[in-house]
Structures are given as structure tokens and as C-alpha cells.
Amino acid sequence: MAVTGRKSPQGGGTVTTAVPARLDLLPWSRRHWMVVVGLGTVWILDGLEVTVVGNIAGRLSERGSGLPISSAQVTGAAAALSVAGACAGALFFGRLTDRFGRNALAAHP
């Protein structure tokens, strides 16, 4: 088992640890795949949201669309709603996690 070392941020001696080597020895499990697939899915959906908003903004701001709105206003509103939704979700699910625990919320039946 390899032991790694690096300088301490406080300016003292070198801190040695076997944690990276121990992590490398852990087997890759189904739960790891679930995390990778879940994060990949969210990443793709985030990119899709940005693409859809960018494409729709041009059509909504065209002359004759019935909306007196600019493309910047459409994208600004979408960005503001996206950030507000992420913050609300973080607050809501953070509170649930504090109340019931991370493993209870992440467990699959």
C-alpha cells in the first residue's frame, strides 16, 4: 500500500496518509455506476436546457411573435428561474437530508 505525503498547509512538516491507496483498493460496485450514470444524466439535461432556451429565445423575440420581449430578456428570465429552482431544491432536499439522513433518501427499494 502506497503512502503519499505533502506539505502541511499550516507550514509544518509533511502529512503522510494511506487514504488514496486504500480508496484504490475498494471494488467498483453497482452504487458507483448509479452515481456515474446519475451525474451524467443531469449533466446532459443541463446542457439540453441551455440549448432549448437558446433556441426558443430567438423565436420568442422575433417581430410578429406577439411578445414585446428581447432575446436577452428571455434568456435572463430562464437563467434566473433555473438558479432559483436549484436553490429551492437545495434548500428543500437539504432539509430532508438533515431530517431523515442521506442514506435513507438515497436508498432504492
Side-chain angles (χ1 to χ4, degrees):
M1 189 177 308
V3 176
T4 60
R6 61 185 167 129
K7 284 290 191 184
S8 172
Q10 287 83 17
T14 301
V15 176
T16 56
T17 179
V19 173
R22 290 181 65 194
L23 288 174
D24 287 341
L25 294 176
L26 292 174
W28 190 261
S29 68
R30 182 174 183 266
R31 188 172 183 100
H32 292 102
W33 279 114
M34 287 175 26
V35 168
V36 168
V37 169
L39 290 174
T41 303
V42 170
W43 181 50
I44 289 170
L45 290 176
D46 185 46
L48 178 67
E49 175 198 5
V50 170
T51 303
V52 168
V53 167
N55 288 327
I56 290 176
R59 287 297 278 179
L60 288 178
S61 60
E62 277 182 356
R63 173 169 239 156
S65 69
L67 295 173
I69 192 169
S70 72
S71 182
Q73 289 172 320
V74 175
T75 356
L81 289 173
S82 177
V83 170
C87 290
L91 291 171
F92 176 72
F93 287 107
R95 187 155 252 238
L96 283 179
T97 302
D98 289 343
R99 177 175 234 167
F100 300 111
R102 185 186 60 187
N103 287 335
L105 290 178
H108 295 282

